Amino acid sequence: MSHIRTTVRNAVVERLRDVGGFGLVEPALRILRGFQDDHYPVAFVSVSDAGTPVGRNPPGSRPLQRSLTVTVSIGSIDDPERLDETLDALAAKVEIALSDPTTMTFGKVLDWSYVATEWPDPATVEEYGFAVAKVVFRGTVTTPEGQPSVNQHQ
């Protein structure tokens, strides 16, 4: 079975592909393989987590609450005069697509919410010719301790 991070990442990738509007939607490390100009706009999805044991049961038998952070890095190339608007439109598309966790296939998640959009550094845009903004969501899932692939609340 896959780690809960993999399950969430794959569900977010699938959701963004279904919504459309991106030339390429992949897990974040796909960026290391490179891509072509005709893949823009792009979306790369990463998921990180931090766990907190719940209760006073012995280690190995407690539920583990995992605080998930889902980051969607959206990238585009455009005329610098329109790049802000292009990234805003893509960020809005991501925010709308991911606003309801029941539309994704990773099971029940608590406290799912949009957190922030990180804007690109203008110097990076100027140097590389494209811009990347990061749209961040957070939520909590519960797994049994030592069973990172099992969402207890399917």
Side-chain angles (χ1 to χ4, degrees):
M1 291 187 87
S2 297
H3 196 287
I4 192 69
R5 287 188 311 267
T6 303
T7 303
V8 171
R9 183 176 51 249
N10 289 346
V12 171
V13 165
E14 180 182 325
R15 178 73 179 128
L16 292 175
R17 285 178 180 162
D18 288 347
V19 168
F22 291 97
L24 182 68
V25 180
E26 294 287 337
L29 293 180
R30 162 61 172 81
I31 198 168
L32 298 175
R33 295 195 312 254
F35 49 93
Q36 304 300 317
D37 285 350
D38 63 347
H39 288 145
Y40 285 104
V42 296
F44 294 104
V45 179
S46 63
V47 179
S48 59
D49 71 327
T52 304
V54 178
R56 297 180 182 254
N57 292 338
S61 63
R62 303 173 288 199
L64 189 63
Q65 283 191 328
R66 293 177 182 267
S67 177
L68 299 171
T69 302
V70 176
T71 303
V72 180
S73 300
I74 51 175
S76 186
I77 50 176
D78 204 339
D79 183 304
E81 297 294 320
R82 292 189 307 266
L83 200 48
D84 284 299
E85 290 81 11
T86 300
L87 288 176
D88 278 342
L90 292 170
K93 182 179 286 288
V94 170
E95 193 172 338
I96 292 165
L98 303 185
S99 65
D100 181 0
T102 64
T103 63
M104 293 173 273
T105 58
F106 50 72
K108 186 175 181 180
V109 61
L110 303 174
D111 302 322
W112 180 258
S113 66
Y114 164 80
V115 176
T117 299
E118 255 182 62
W119 214 238
D121 174 24
T124 304
V125 176
E126 183 176 59
E127 182 177 350
Y128 296 106
F130 67 93
V132 177
K134 295 179 181 180
V135 182
V136 181
F137 278 79
R138 285 205 183 111
T140 303
V141 296
T142 304
T143 64
E145 204 168 24
Q147 296 180 51
S149 62
V150 178
N151 184 345
Q152 282 188 313
H153 304 289
Q154 290 291 335

